[in-house]
Amino acid sequence: MAAFNYAVKVEDENGFSEKYFTVIAWGTKKRMMEWAKHFDADPRTVESRITREKDGKVVHSYTR
């Protein structure tokens, strides 16, 4: 089974975005797409990406 990571950059209450991605979930691509559907809709999410763990390839990304 391939492993994927879901990571996000968020905007804080002052309107500034984090300078780095924070990995918040790990698992199958299908499961990571479920996380993305939920967190990409959050108004604080500035950017997110799903990467394949074995080679670091970005398989899905979102930018507001």
Side-chain angles (χ1 to χ4, degrees), residues 49-64:
R49 65 183 178 196
I50 297 173
T51 55
R52 187 170 40 226
E53 200 168 74
K54 72 177 181 179
D55 60 4
K57 182 180 178 187
V58 176
V59 296
H60 174 79
S61 64
Y62 163 81
T63 303
R64 174 172 48 127

Side-chain angles (χ1 to χ4, degrees), residues 29-56:
K29 184 177 179 186
K30 180 180 179 180
R31 184 70 177 131
M32 295 307 98
M33 291 302 290
E34 291 172 11
W35 280 101
K37 187 173 160 183
H38 176 72
F39 280 98
D40 291 353
D42 188 316
R44 294 174 299 159
T45 300
V46 176
E47 195 173 349
S48 73
R49 65 183 178 196
I50 297 173
T51 55
R52 187 170 40 226
E53 200 168 74
K54 72 177 181 179
D55 60 4

Side-chain angles (χ1 to χ4, degrees), residues 1-23:
M1 173 175 71
F4 295 85
N5 295 316
Y6 176 72
V8 297
K9 279 186 185 180
V10 296
E11 191 174 82
D12 67 13
E13 58 275 351
N14 296 324
F16 297 103
S17 62
E18 296 288 339
K19 293 181 168 62
Y20 54 88
F21 283 91
T22 303
V23 174

